[in-house]
Amino acid sequence: MTTVKIHQIYYSPESFAALDKGFIPLDNTHGRSDWMEYWPIRQYFLNTPVGDDELVGFFSPRFFEKTGLTATDVHAHIEANPGHDVYLFNPYFHLASWHQNLFVQASRTHQGIGKVFNEVLALLDIHTDVDQSVMSSMDTVYCNYFVATLDFWKKWLMVSEFIFQLSEENQHPIGKALRDDTNYHRGQMPLKIFVIERIASFLLNSMNRWNVKPAYLFKNMEFHSQKPLAFVEEMHKLDALKTSFKQSGNPIFLQTYEHERVRLQKEFSLIV
């Protein structure tokens, strides 16, 4: 029988008081802020045995604010969809739908993130260009909001720990690039935080070995248009076109996706 262990990280007495009691509190009051959520996740796996039959997740204190979901909602989604390896709770469905992939989306704020990610992968003898990948709701993860089996976490940790060691190495040029500050709405933050946030998406996009079940959330979409229902429908179409391309390899789906984006920019007067 699968055991579900979803933790919610706290940093202070105030954030502890705001936790959802349906999640397991994870103390990060003495963590390193330059690693954000990766630090308590790393400490957890270094110090806690995890079984092959466990589903494990780690959410930030702002999970409800970003997703509109309670712990009851999350557990109900998993219980209603048993047998999957990875469950996604992406709070920004519109961003995943609109952009070809989340590296392209991130480059608007975190300049050069795709290049740095490619350089890290090359050191692992993985040669690709993540900016050219096509991602959909089936492999897009924001904020590390996912719940997964140990098999997935092992892959995730392997890449994350490699980035951690690179960043801690003062003499390595890629380590310096990972430590460099980048823009964030709460101020400047090290690029390494946002690189690690994209590891789960890269793994799901590049390795067809896990059964994935996304939850479709629309909490953050209403402000993009005076016709929110129509906007949601259009984002679903974009996502479906990218998913169809990924499943079939037929370029007509990707061409239609690009055509629809141009149309929607005019119709909704938006750039997501």
Side-chain angles (χ1 to χ4, degrees):
M1 182 177 178
T2 301
T3 302
V4 182
K5 295 183 178 179
I6 305 176
H7 306 79
Q8 192 168 30
I9 300 163
Y10 66 94
Y11 305 87
S12 64
E14 293 77 18
S15 58
F16 178 80
L19 296 183
D20 188 316
K21 291 181 173 56
F23 294 132
I24 303 167
L26 184 60
D27 187 356
N28 193 39
T29 53
H30 301 293
R32 282 178 53 177
S33 60
D34 63 317
W35 283 107
M36 295 291 283
E37 278 81 30
Y38 181 61
W39 185 261
I41 295 172
R42 181 177 188 267
Q43 297 304 113
Y44 180 87
F45 281 109
L46 284 175
N47 297 290
T48 309
V50 178
D52 292 333
D53 59 344
E54 290 182 9
L55 286 166
V56 183
F58 304 89
F59 296 160
S60 72
R62 299 178 63 198
F63 180 76
F64 177 78
E65 175 189 339
K66 290 183 176 182
T67 65
L69 297 180
T70 64
T72 300
D73 297 326
V74 172
H75 282 283
H77 175 71
I78 294 173
E79 290 172 9
N81 301 278
H84 292 81
D85 303 307
V86 185
Y87 295 84
L88 307 182
F89 301 91
N90 174 16
Y92 306 122
F93 178 79
H94 58 298
L95 296 180
S97 302
W98 183 259
H99 297 280
Q100 180 172 311
N101 61 65
L102 83 175
F103 291 96
V104 172
Q105 177 265 320
S107 65
R108 295 170 54 189
T109 305
H110 314 307
Q111 188 174 8
I113 188 171
K115 178 177 180 293
V116 173
F117 203 97
N118 288 333
E119 290 172 341
V120 170
L121 293 177
L123 292 176
L124 292 168
D125 202 26
I126 302 171
H127 302 281
T128 186
D129 184 355
V130 294
D131 288 328
Q132 299 303 312
S133 60
V134 178
M135 296 181 177
S136 71
S137 58
M138 296 301 296
D139 53 15
T140 299
V141 181
Y142 282 103
C143 311
N144 293 320
Y145 288 170
F146 67 92
V147 178
T149 61
L150 181 59
D151 180 67
F152 183 81
W153 278 110
K154 284 179 177 177
K155 293 292 184 183
W156 186 89
L157 285 162
M158 181 193 74
V159 182
S160 298
E161 189 61 15
F162 186 73
I163 290 170
F164 178 84
Q165 298 300 335
L166 273 178
S167 300
E168 299 290 289
E169 173 54 64
N170 290 330
Q171 303 304 316
H172 202 290
I174 300 178
K176 179 183 181 306
L178 288 163
R179 292 192 303 273
D180 283 348
D181 283 342
T182 187
N183 293 324
Y184 186 53
H185 69 272
R186 297 207 302 257
Q188 297 285 293
M189 299 291 287
L191 183 65
K192 62 190 181 184
I193 294 171
F194 306 100
V195 168
I196 281 186
E197 279 191 356
R198 281 153 179 81
I199 291 172
S201 299
F202 167 74
L203 292 174
L204 293 175
N205 183 259
S206 61
M207 301 179 68
N208 187 25
R209 62 181 286 176
W210 296 288
N211 293 320
V212 182
K213 183 62 180 178
Y216 291 98
L217 314 177
F218 310 112
K219 181 179 184 293
N220 296 293
M221 296 174 66
E222 65 274 4
F223 60 86
H224 285 288
S225 172
Q226 294 179 348
K227 299 183 290 183
L229 179 58
F231 182 78
V232 170
E233 291 174 346
E234 297 293 356
M235 293 301 106
H236 262 296
K237 291 177 185 177
L238 293 181
D239 184 63
L241 286 166
K242 290 195 294 179
T243 300
S244 296
F245 169 74
K246 289 162 62 65
Q247 292 173 343
S248 69
N250 189 336
I252 192 64
F253 290 114
L254 196 58
Q255 293 166 12
T256 305
Y257 156 78
E258 294 289 357
H259 174 81
E260 287 296 293
R261 265 178 42 109
V262 172
R263 178 183 67 82
L264 290 170
Q265 283 178 324
K266 297 176 181 177
E267 180 175 334
F268 287 92
S269 300
L270 58 83
I271 298 178
V272 179

